[in-house]
Amino acid sequence: MSRRERPGPEKIEMNMSAMIDVVFQLLIFFMLTLKIVEPEGDFNINMPAVGAPSQPTDDIQLPDIKVKLQANPDGSLAGVYLGGTPLGNDQNSFKQLNLEIFKMITQAGADLAKEMEVEIDADYNLHFRNVINAVGACTGKIGSDGNIVKYVEKIKFSPPKPPGSGGA
């Protein structure tokens, strides 16, 4: 009996064009679904030191712009006040706050506007998004040309007063 010799292993070639097509389709998909995030604000915020007394300075002190954020018992926004003046209790109140801050800054002039500070006094149980909306309304806005217009760069918070301590 004679043995037949088998030919050597066959060379298997993979068709790479289908894989390359899939990779390019995925690449195009991810490029087209990319969401470009708007620039977030760079807030220069001064947090109060707990239990530390404030240090007096020799510089001319401008009066702080006082913003009060009151909360309902469920944590929703009850009211926005600028120096005691009520601005409302909805999202339009933050637009009104932005407008009033702009008026104050333009009346003060460019030199004094850089030195002005905003003090935000938020109730203890207020939802955080309302505090962020107030910070955004005080710092400026995005202009019609897409550039950021800054109003106030110095923002500080009054010390939090837990419920029952006479604060909220």
Side-chain angles (χ1 to χ4, degrees), residues 14-24:
M14 294 183 68
N15 188 357
M16 296 297 289
S17 62
M19 188 184 306
I20 292 172
D21 286 344
V22 169
V23 169
F24 279 118

Side-chain angles (χ1 to χ4, degrees), residues 43-47 135 153-157:
F43 305 122
N44 184 13
I45 299 175
N46 298 325
M47 297 297 292
V135 170
E153 293 187 14
K154 298 178 183 177
I155 294 180
K156 62 183 180 179
F157 291 95

